């Protein structure tokens, strides 16, 4: 199972420029998470801080018991081995063919024999659909293939945590859908903890178990995907819908006067830039048939059902409706909306509080954020067995 990453009060600035402050979240082991945010909100800086390429000013980032903000060089070296990183451009060496690029970390960081290296490299190239392309140079292949080669290289050291910085950048929507499928398939096969940083709404709605968003130098929210996908926060709605109307401006946050002027223009018929209302929970992609069930997905169900009562009503409904009838019975919940009514979280659905008898009867252990746990008086994880 992948490692858990616990981030608490993480703050980063460059000189007088504050990037983000007081970021607190947990990446649950073996689950897929995604971080959204407008350009320049510090998503890449966040990834780089997690692997120690940048040093946060304060806060904690604890991985397998080591706080990488405070740890020694030697401990950092050990923690880094847990990571596989897919950088935005694949970060391949232009003069090496794909085989040597993918073999590079094995030759640098292990004492494996060339025959063992060959076995691993060919396995990872096959996993990422690059079998037969071993001899190609990065300059001779498409952007999508370079991404997959970067992913193959990120996998060779059997990472427990995979970080992907905008895996969709430069890819068409179809290739992006294939890449999302590849990440879910990988997760099913190796149960690694995955964090994807992206602007891609389709990927964000269909790939991750958990979703977060950085804006105004803060983490606006982070939690089960259903929370962000049904959120009525103006910044989340604007981002998901790709509209100019809302608090996000071209280069920075807008002031009230500009927002009012844009609203008036839109009401007078000026196009707001979006196409359709994409609010609501859509089905999450599943591993390709024939692959193992995702252990992360199975664990997430138990985890999320334990904190269900702490989540907003629309998110609760989205979660309950995503369960099979058998699972609903297992957790003792029923969907709120009558059969045939619109899906929870769609613009016309009921947003009301679920009646108590429809919310799981929950034990006093959970995985909520520190704030949620304080608010609900729950015991932090690790202090008692699951139900
Ligand atoms: N090494 C650095 N030194 C100084 N400033 C930096 C450094 N790295 C990033 N920044 C600044 O931090 C801010 C956030 O950058 P970052 O690349 O993390 O944004 P992002 O959210 O990933 O953006 P995008 O979505 O456009 O890739 C930017 O203002 C950038 O100029």
């Amino acid at each position: 199972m992948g490692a858990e990453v616990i981030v608490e009060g993480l703050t980063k600035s460059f000189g007088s420029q504050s990037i983000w402050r007081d970021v607190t979240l947990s990446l649950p082991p073996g689950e897929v998470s995604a971080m959204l945010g407008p350009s320049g909100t510090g998503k890449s800086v966040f990834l780089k801080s997690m692997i120690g390429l940048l040093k946060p000013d304060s806060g904690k980032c604890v991985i397998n018991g080591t706080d990488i903000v405070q740890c020694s060089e030697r401990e950092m070296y050990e923690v880094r081995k847990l990571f596989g990183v897919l950088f935005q451009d694949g970060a391949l060496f232009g003069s090496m063919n794909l085989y040597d690029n993918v073999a590079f970390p094995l030759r640098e960081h292990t004492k494996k024999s060339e025959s063992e290296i060959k076995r691993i490299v060919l396995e990872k190239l096959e996993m990422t659909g690059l079998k037969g392309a071993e001899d190609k140079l990065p300059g001779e292949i498409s952007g999508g293939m370079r991404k997959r080669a970067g992913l193959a290289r990120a996998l060779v050291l059997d990472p427990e945590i995979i970080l992907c910085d905008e895996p969709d950048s430069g890819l068409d929507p179809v290739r992006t859908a294939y890449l999302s499928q590849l990440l879910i398939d990988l997760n099913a096969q190796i149960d690694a903890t995955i964090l994807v940083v992206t602007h891609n709404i389709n990927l964000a709605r269909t790939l991750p178990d958990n979703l977060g968003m950085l804006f105004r130098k803060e983490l606006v929210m982070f939690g089960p995907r259903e929370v962000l996908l049904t959120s009525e926060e103006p910044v989340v709605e604007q981002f998901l819908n790709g509209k100019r109307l809302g608090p996000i401006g071209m280069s920075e946050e807008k002031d009230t006067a500009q927002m009012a002027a844009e609203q008036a223009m839109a009401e007078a018929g000026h196009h707001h830039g979006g196409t359709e209302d994409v609010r609501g929970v859509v089905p999450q992609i599943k591993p390709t048939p024939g692959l193992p069930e995702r252990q992360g997905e199975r664990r997430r169900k138990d985890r999320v059902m334990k904190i269900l009562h702490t989540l907003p009503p629309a998110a609760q409904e989205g979660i309950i409706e995503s369960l099979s009838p058998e699972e609903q019975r297992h957790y003792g919940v029923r969907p709120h909306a009558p059969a045939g009514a619109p899906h929870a979280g769609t613009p016309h659905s009921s947003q009301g509080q679920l009646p108590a008898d429809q919310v799981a009867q929950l034990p006093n252990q959970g995985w909520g954020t520190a704030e949620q746990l304080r608010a609900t008086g729950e015991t932090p994880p690790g202090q008692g067995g699951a139900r």
Side-chain angles (χ1 to χ4, degrees), residues 12-324:
K12 174 70 189 163
S13 55
F14 291 107
S16 60
Q17 185 193 6
S18 165
I19 305 298
W20 27 255
R21 53 186 170 248
D22 207 17
V23 173
T24 296
L25 59 87
S26 291
L27 301 182
E31 293 186 26
V32 181
S33 302
M35 184 67 82
L36 298 171
S39 290
T41 43
K43 302 181 298 296
S44 300
V45 169
F46 185 67
L47 284 197
K48 287 178 187 161
S49 300
M50 282 178 60
I51 43 172
L53 289 178
L54 290 171
K55 190 162 171 54
D57 311 339
S58 57
K60 287 182 180 177
C61 178
V62 181
I63 300 161
N64 273 3
T66 305
D67 176 8
I68 61 152
V69 178
Q70 301 291 343
C71 72
S72 65
E73 294 261 316
R74 163 117 216 105
E75 287 171 317
M76 178 61 89
Y77 181 80
E78 290 304 315
V79 170
R80 276 212 189 120
K81 286 192 204 161
L82 301 174
F83 283 94
V85 186
L86 172 59
F87 291 102
Q88 265 192 44
D89 55 0
L92 301 172
F93 298 109
S95 58
M96 281 184 197
N97 66 21
L98 292 195
Y99 182 96
D100 289 330
N101 260 293
V102 176
F104 187 81
L106 291 165
R107 291 176 176 149
E108 277 294 294
H109 298 294
T110 72
K111 295 190 167 58
K112 292 188 190 299
S113 67
E114 275 303 312
S115 63
E116 176 68 350
I117 288 176
K118 183 173 182 186
R119 188 191 63 73
I120 297 170
V121 170
L122 294 181
E123 179 194 275
K124 303 307 179 201
L125 286 172
E126 176 154 18
M127 266 175 127
T128 50
L130 288 169
K131 196 173 164 203
E134 296 86 338
D135 297 331
K136 300 263 192 222
L137 290 171
E140 296 171 339
I141 59 176
S142 71
M145 287 171 84
R146 276 197 290 276
K147 293 272 186 205
R148 283 184 278 138
L151 193 54
R153 192 176 61 182
L155 294 175
V156 290
L157 294 177
D158 288 331
E160 289 191 31
I161 307 163
I162 300 174
L163 304 181
C164 302
D165 195 356
E166 294 189 26
D168 51 286
S169 70
L171 295 190
D172 65 58
V174 176
R175 269 35 175 262
T176 301
Y178 274 108
L179 199 91
S180 294
Q181 184 67 57
L182 182 57
L183 288 171
I184 278 289
D185 287 353
L186 274 173
N187 178 256
Q189 287 165 294
I190 63 176
D191 200 19
T193 307
I194 299 180
L195 176 63
V196 177
V197 154
T198 185
H199 297 128
N200 188 297
I201 301 309
N202 200 26
L203 182 147
R205 296 177 81 209
T206 55
L207 172 71
D209 300 303
N210 307 293
L211 259 173
M213 185 166 178
L214 284 168
F215 182 60
R216 283 190 192 131
K217 309 185 193 309
E218 283 178 2
L219 187 67
V220 180
M221 58 176 69
F222 184 87
R225 62 195 287 271
E226 294 85 356
V227 176
L228 193 135
L229 293 178
T230 58
S231 169
E232 291 180 357
E233 278 279 328
V235 63
V236 173
E237 273 192 61
Q238 182 190 4
F239 196 80
L240 289 180
N241 287 287
K243 293 190 294 195
R244 289 193 311 281
L245 283 185
I248 308 169
M250 182 60 172
S251 59
E252 55 193 23
E253 191 182 334
K254 290 177 207 163
D255 60 25
T256 327
Q258 191 187 348
M259 278 172 67
E262 287 182 356
Q263 183 70 41
M265 276 196 280
E267 279 163 14
H270 187 58
H271 201 303
H272 57 49
T275 49
E276 55 181 323
D277 193 339
V278 300
R279 249 179 311 163
V281 181
V282 293
Q284 190 181 15
I285 51 177
K286 299 271 179 204
T288 301
L291 288 180
E293 183 198 359
R294 289 179 56 227
Q295 295 305 306
E297 185 186 4
R298 191 184 49 71
R299 288 190 299 267
R300 185 190 107 106
K301 281 193 186 129
D302 285 344
R303 179 176 72 78
V304 168
M305 292 312 286
K306 284 179 191 164
I307 58 166
L308 190 73
H309 62 305
T310 67
L311 304 179
Q316 292 187 14
E317 287 196 31
I319 291 165
I320 292 171
E321 290 187 8
S322 70
L323 300 174
S324 68

